[in-house]
Amino acid sequence: MITIGQLARYVGVSIKTIRVYHDKGLLPEPDRDASGYRRYGADDAIDLIKIRTLADSGVPLARIRDLRSATDEELQHELREIDDELTARIAGLRAAQGRLRRLAAGQPALLPTEIGGHLADLARWGFTPRWVDLQRDLWILVFATHPDQAITLFRDQTETLADPPLRQLFLAYDQARDLDPGDPRIDGLARRITEATRERYGSDEPPEFEAASEIPALIQSTVNAASPAWRRLDMLIRTQLIAGAGDREPRSSKTE
């Protein structure tokens, strides 16, 4: 029979670790001898080695107790599940490491890498720095709140901007920021944007957020708050698109 200190030294763990295993019910506490000391036998050492091996392999302590009494088949199944969980955690850690490295390099870590390239394209095409900054902040909001839909929305915008005439409309929208809301150029720009939107999507709906989401309204209110001219543009475009939708046949009649 050996003491807890000897057991810890032979197996290669700390006395504190053994006590933790006792507290969690992983390793039964042995009886004390006449002097009040716990005495451990070979079975205790073997159990401790098994527990240490599982713990060192990444098995959570909460699952070790069940695994020690599992059949070989149950053990293999549980170990495969734990391996899958560890693989997912490793992938997550690598992704986090990549974001940290991009942040350290001065690149935006809150967005996918391709967004950085898109923002660089905006600057190259002549969009103002304030527009580029606004787009970056709004994409941060979209990717954080709607990660499953964000990439579809982003690709739709990049495809739109890849078309030079449509890109010119976005540039005109950017440049309209400082116009007086009553400037007639705003009315003309609203008509051109409405016509281009109808031509691009036809009878289809453009990619949208889920119906219950408040994010689209939040985004548009942020844009509108930046400029009275943009606010009027938004009102005119919405009004014209709604009016145009009312002139079309109901969607169901086109699929019958």
Side-chain angles (χ1 to χ4, degrees):
M1 304 296 287
I2 58 177
T3 65
I4 189 172
Q6 291 172 316
L7 176 65
R9 186 167 63 254
Y10 289 143
V11 176
V13 298
S14 67
I15 294 175
K16 181 179 179 181
T17 296
I18 294 176
R19 288 176 175 154
V20 168
Y21 293 163
H22 286 329
D23 290 342
K24 292 186 177 296
L26 298 177
L27 184 68
E29 292 190 51
D31 295 331
R32 296 178 183 268
D33 63 14
S35 301
Y37 293 102
R38 296 189 184 96
R39 296 291 178 173
Y40 297 84
D43 288 344
D44 298 312
I46 292 169
D47 284 344
L48 181 57
I49 291 170
K50 291 178 179 178
I51 294 168
R52 185 203 63 188
T53 301
L54 289 170
D56 288 349
S57 298
V59 178
L61 294 183
R63 299 172 73 168
I64 288 178
R65 183 168 48 191
D66 294 334
L67 288 179
R68 289 183 58 232
S69 60
T71 65
D72 287 344
E73 184 178 351
E74 291 171 339
L75 177 63
Q76 294 303 317
H77 175 74
E78 287 292 320
L79 292 179
R80 283 193 294 271
E81 281 195 353
I82 294 170
D83 181 65
D84 290 341
E85 292 170 6
L86 287 174
T87 299
R89 286 174 55 192
I90 290 169
L93 288 171
R94 285 176 175 166
Q97 183 184 54
R99 290 192 293 270
L100 285 172
R101 288 176 175 175
R102 292 196 298 274
L103 184 61
Q107 300 174 13
L110 297 175
L111 290 167
T113 305
E114 58 190 308
I115 303 293
H118 173 66
L119 297 175
D121 285 339
L122 293 180
R124 179 169 56 82
W125 287 328
F127 286 91
T128 62
R130 67 193 176 199
W131 179 272
V132 176
D133 290 343
L134 178 62
Q135 293 298 306
R136 182 198 62 236
D137 291 345
L138 293 180
W139 280 121
I140 288 174
L141 177 61
V142 172
F143 273 90
T145 58
H146 293 275
D148 293 338
Q149 296 170 281
I151 194 65
T152 299
L153 295 163
F154 172 69
R155 286 172 179 165
D156 179 70
Q157 185 178 104
T158 56
E159 289 172 4
T160 298
L161 290 173
D163 184 328
L166 294 177
R167 185 164 66 241
Q168 287 303 313
L169 289 178
F170 272 81
L171 282 164
Y173 200 116
D174 175 16
Q175 295 160 3
R177 181 184 185 275
D178 297 323
L179 293 178
D180 185 278
D183 193 306
R185 285 175 289 183
I186 292 179
D187 297 78
L189 178 58
R191 285 193 298 272
R192 296 199 305 275
I193 291 175
T194 301
E195 292 168 0
T197 301
R198 290 174 181 161
E199 182 177 348
R200 172 161 167 70
Y201 298 106
S203 59
D204 297 327
E205 293 290 340
E208 296 178 345
F209 292 86
E210 57 192 38
S213 177
E214 299 293 338
I215 296 301
L218 185 61
I219 289 174
Q220 194 59 56
S221 67
T222 300
V223 174
N224 291 349
S227 162
W230 283 351
R231 184 164 57 249
R232 186 158 185 272
L233 257 176
D234 175 51
M235 183 271 293
L236 290 171
I237 293 169
R238 288 174 183 272
T239 300
Q240 292 169 17
L241 286 174
I242 291 172
D247 294 337
R248 300 177 189 172
E249 299 177 22
R251 178 179 294 273
S252 60
S253 67
K254 295 186 178 182
T255 58
E256 293 173 351

